[in-house]
Amino acid sequence: MEKINSNGCKSEAVLEVKQFEPALVPPAEETDRGLYYLSNLDQNIAVIVRTIYCFRSEGEGNERAAEVIKDALSKVLVHYHPLAGRLAISPEGKLIVNCTGEGAVFVEAEAECSMDDIGDMTKPDPVKLGKLVYDIPGAQNILQIPPLVVQVTKFKCGGFVLGLGMNHCMFDGLGAMEFVNSWGETARGLPLKVPPFVDRSILKARAPPKIESAHREFEQIEDISDTKSLYEEEMLYRAFCFDPDKLESLKKKATGDGKLAKCTTFEALSAFVWKARTESLRMKPDQETKLLFAVDGRSRFDPPLPKGYFGNGIVLTNAMSTAGELVEKPLSFAVGLVQEAVELVTDSYMRSAIDYFEVTRARPSLAATLLITTWSRLSFHTTDFGWGEPRFSGPVALPEKEVSLFLSHGQERKSINVLLGLPASAMAHFEKLLLMQM
């Protein structure tokens, strides 16, 4: 039985994709069964992240693409066996993996067009690009969605798209990149460069828990500006490219008033986006606003996490300001707040965050908040299943309206694409600010 997955698409071309019946791909060998522990850093980000990888080779067609990728998947799952299990709730009320060995969901599909007909893939488009990632029919919650769902879509041009739906509780960006690259190495008959370290119990909460920081990342902010009414407008999604010259210009602007000796590209760009988005959402001057972003804690833990750590090694940190101060003060003010947020992340802070969740089970609040997630240092573009590196790789959609994503861009990966969703009137103002500032 086949299913035509083509609902009305507002974009230039309507992408029609025919999905065949899903199959389960278990590990090629017997693997450990039983319950697999997920750390407290895994618990708060159990969202499905949908990504696509577009391949086309001059010398190799797409006839064998599904077979090669499916065969390599069964082999790589021997190393990453929890991905073949199913999510469950532990007696303590936390997410856990039941290692059943059932396997990942695998779907073959065909598109009635060339990959070039898809148009601009740098902009998140859940309607159009969503057809390239299989959705589990009727799933009511994440427990009903396997941790890994795979779709291989062949195109008329001889290219194909690998679409993945992966639960963030299984790994962060670096862990996901290492998994996909290991999968590609397996497809090419190579040993894994970075075998996974699967024991997450090294990040267990302390007994008794010891909360040593304020953890304002969990703090609920009152939306006195009523921004939720703005979000009743049509949501627009845009990708803004900051090339090396623009990034350098932002850094100069951030240090130009002499308040800061130096700043990184991330600090300048995240501060600029936070400041401009706050102004675009027309927040009241006394509205508190929060910036959240993830810091890779792998090297910041003492001792550092083992190489190949299979799990979330990221910790959320935060900066807070009133909208009035953020908008009126120079960029150096916002950059200074970002720098302080980065410096917060020590071994003590991260262990405290783990213990904080153990005691409170709190989840970060996103009211009046911007959450930035950074993929600009991740080498997803190097993934190779035998058809060369992908012509494009990136997300299908932003997981929440409060999320902005930074992706590396361009041939030398020196530019950064900022993906952002805003209500239509706020997006128009954001674009004006961008033109004025740059």
Side-chain angles (χ1 to χ4, degrees), residues 21 37 53 55 59 70 78 81 90 131 134 141 177 244 255 261 290 310 317 343 364 379 395 398 416 429:
E21 276 294 291
Y37 173 79
Y53 302 79
F55 296 94
K70 188 176 183 181
V78 174
H81 70 274
S90 73
K131 296 171 188 176
Y134 184 69
N141 56 59
M177 180 197 75
T255 54
K290 179 168 55 178
F310 169 45
T317 186
E343 285 162 16
S379 53
L398 296 171
I416 294 178
H429 192 76

Side-chain angles (χ1 to χ4, degrees), residues 286-395:
D286 54 345
Q287 169 73 62
E288 274 213 308
T289 175
K290 179 168 55 178
L291 173 67
L292 289 177
F293 57 92
V295 173
D296 183 5
R298 283 167 170 75
S299 62
R300 291 171 182 254
F301 277 106
D302 184 15
L305 295 186
K307 191 177 180 189
Y309 179 75
F310 169 45
N312 285 279
I314 55 172
V315 179
L316 283 179
T317 186
N318 71 95
M320 302 274 276
S321 172
T322 60
E325 275 197 302
L326 192 65
V327 169
E328 296 302 324
K329 289 192 171 182
L331 183 61
S332 58
F333 172 73
V335 173
L337 293 177
V338 174
Q339 289 180 339
E340 287 169 18
V342 173
E343 285 162 16
L344 272 180
V345 186
T346 60
D347 179 74
S348 166
Y349 176 88
M350 294 185 292
R351 304 261 176 209
S352 176
I354 290 168
D355 292 356
Y356 188 90
F357 181 83
E358 191 71 16
V359 172
T360 65
R361 301 298 166 91
R363 302 196 178 279
S365 167
L366 293 181
T369 294
L370 170 64
L371 170 55
I372 291 175
T373 182
T374 309
W375 289 8
S376 50
R377 294 180 184 168
L378 302 178
S379 53
F380 284 106
H381 59 280
T382 63
T383 300
D384 184 357
F385 288 88
W387 282 262
E389 293 179 358
R391 302 204 166 197
F392 171 80
S393 62

Side-chain angles (χ1 to χ4, degrees), residues 158-169:
F160 67 93
V161 172
L162 173 65
L164 302 179
M166 301 191 287
N167 197 311
H168 207 317
C169 72

Side-chain angles (χ1 to χ4, degrees), residues 19-280:
Q19 294 171 328
F20 297 92
E21 276 294 291
L24 289 175
V25 180
E29 300 168 18
E30 190 63 31
T31 54
D32 290 345
R33 299 297 170 97
L35 297 177
Y36 176 73
Y37 173 79
L38 297 178
S39 86
N40 286 353
L41 297 185
D42 301 316
Q43 301 292 328
N44 261 335
I45 39 182
V47 294
I48 305 299
V49 179
R50 298 185 296 162
T51 51
I52 54 172
Y53 302 79
C54 306
F55 296 94
R56 187 165 64 202
S57 162
E58 300 305 327
E60 181 85 30
N62 61 15
E63 299 81 9
R64 294 181 58 248
E67 178 195 342
V68 168
I69 287 172
K70 188 176 183 181
D71 181 59
L73 176 59
S74 71
K75 290 174 182 169
V76 81
L77 283 177
V78 174
H79 304 279
Y80 286 89
H81 70 274
L83 292 175
R86 296 294 180 264
L87 288 172
I89 300 294
S90 73
E92 296 78 39
K94 293 189 199 173
L95 280 173
I96 197 163
V97 182
N98 186 7
C99 293
T100 58
E102 287 172 66
V105 174
F106 189 92
V107 175
E108 294 185 46
E110 290 176 356
E112 298 300 315
C113 62
S114 159
M115 278 201 314
D116 293 338
D117 295 332
I118 299 176
D120 182 11
M121 287 188 273
T122 62
K123 183 178 81 172
D125 187 337
V127 176
K128 183 167 63 172
L129 301 181
K131 296 171 188 176
L132 301 171
V133 181
Y134 184 69
D135 282 328
I136 302 296
Q140 302 287 312
N141 56 59
I142 57 161
L143 299 181
Q144 296 171 1
I145 303 172
L148 174 62
V149 176
V150 180
Q151 179 175 317
V152 175
T153 307
K154 296 178 185 177
F155 284 78
K156 297 287 186 190
C157 58
F160 67 93
V161 172
L162 173 65
L164 302 179
M166 301 191 287
N167 197 311
H168 207 317
C169 72
M170 299 308 291
F171 28 42
D172 55 22
L174 182 58
M177 180 197 75
E178 288 173 349
F179 164 68
V180 175
N181 286 344
S182 293
W183 187 0
E185 287 157 7
T186 304
R188 289 179 287 135
L190 301 172
L192 304 195
K193 267 188 199 161
V194 186
F197 180 92
V198 297
D199 180 11
R200 303 187 189 201
S201 66
I202 59 172
L203 289 185
K204 272 194 167 167
R206 294 170 290 195
K210 202 161 85 178
I211 298 169
E212 300 166 306
S213 299
H215 295 295
R216 296 192 73 189
E217 63 270 27
F218 297 99
E219 198 169 296
Q220 183 77 36
I221 296 174
E222 188 186 349
D223 181 18
I224 62 171
S225 306
D226 192 29
T227 52
K228 70 173 184 294
S229 62
L230 254 187
Y231 279 99
E232 290 167 11
E233 294 179 17
E234 180 193 4
M235 280 292 287
L236 298 180
Y237 293 92
R238 296 281 185 269
F240 301 98
C241 183
F242 289 77
D243 61 27
D245 289 343
K246 284 181 183 171
L247 293 170
E248 195 55 40
S249 165
L250 265 186
K251 286 164 75 174
K252 279 184 180 159
K253 187 169 186 185
T255 54
D257 60 3
K259 299 270 175 67
L260 300 172
K262 59 180 181 177
C263 74
T264 66
T265 297
F266 171 79
E267 289 162 356
L269 185 57
S270 56
F272 171 76
V273 172
W274 183 28
K275 182 176 162 76
R277 179 181 177 271
T278 300
E279 182 174 334
S280 302

